[in-house]
Amino acid sequence: MPSIKQVQITFDCAEPERVARFWREVLGYEVPPVPEGFATWADYDRSLPPEHEGPAYAWINPVDGAPRLFFQRVPEGKVVKNRLHLDVRVGTGLVGEERLAVLEAECARLIALGAARVQLLLADDENESCLVMQDVEGNEFCLD
């Protein structure tokens, strides 16, 4: 059985550029190299059929092996809770008040980028504290 070489996480969006820019700031991802034969991504975009121009963006992680993020325009809006979400792991290895302080600081940074705070889930017998948030189009994610 062949092994999977790459993973891409795809976001369905009303405004791909807005959502893509938000996640680029959150995660520190980078613009991928321009396809061969094109000077810029705008040149590449103009080479596409009109129905495919402009509605998608992609970012890559500067760390090898990390998943690529892809953002595509879809006509329908978000209706219910995500069945899959990202955990942005900012508090790994921290506990108690130290963990909460790191989560709150990152929450404040992301709110300034357009995120919304949903709910603080305090530590229990099985899990450390985490913060449930929404990105600029309402997609849930956790600060963990």
Side-chain angles (χ1 to χ4, degrees):
M1 175 183 274
S3 64
I4 297 172
K5 303 293 184 204
Q6 296 180 350
V7 172
Q8 172 173 285
I9 299 169
T10 300
F11 290 73
D12 290 346
C13 321
E15 298 178 57
E17 182 176 11
R18 181 174 177 235
V19 178
R21 290 186 190 287
F22 171 81
W23 282 105
R24 183 174 176 209
E25 288 295 321
V26 170
L27 300 174
Y29 271 47
E30 299 175 349
V31 177
V34 177
E36 191 173 319
F38 298 94
T40 67
W41 277 103
D43 291 342
Y44 172 76
D45 191 48
R46 284 189 292 275
S47 76
L48 299 173
E51 66 273 12
H52 294 291
E53 287 181 12
Y57 290 83
W59 303 135
I60 57 172
N61 191 315
V63 177
D64 283 341
R68 176 179 125 141
L69 301 181
F70 185 75
F71 304 85
Q72 64 186 4
R73 182 172 293 128
V74 296
E76 69 278 357
K78 182 180 179 305
V79 178
V80 297
K81 182 181 183 292
N82 303 3
R83 293 295 306 254
L84 174 84
H85 70 267
L86 300 182
D87 287 341
V88 179
R89 313 239 17 235
V90 297
T92 303
L94 302 176
V95 296
E97 293 301 317
E98 185 179 18
R99 181 181 179 89
L100 287 173
V102 168
L103 295 178
E104 292 293 351
E106 185 66 1
C107 177
R109 182 179 85 85
L110 300 184
I111 286 173
L113 296 174
R117 179 188 181 115
V118 175
Q119 180 181 14
L120 173 63
L121 301 173
L122 293 173
D124 58 26
D125 292 336
E126 296 178 25
N127 300 297
E128 285 299 330
S129 298
C130 71
L131 251 167
V132 180
M133 300 193 69
Q134 292 178 332
D135 72 10
V136 295
E137 283 199 358
N139 300 301
E140 294 87 6
F141 67 97
C142 290
L143 293 181
D144 180 21

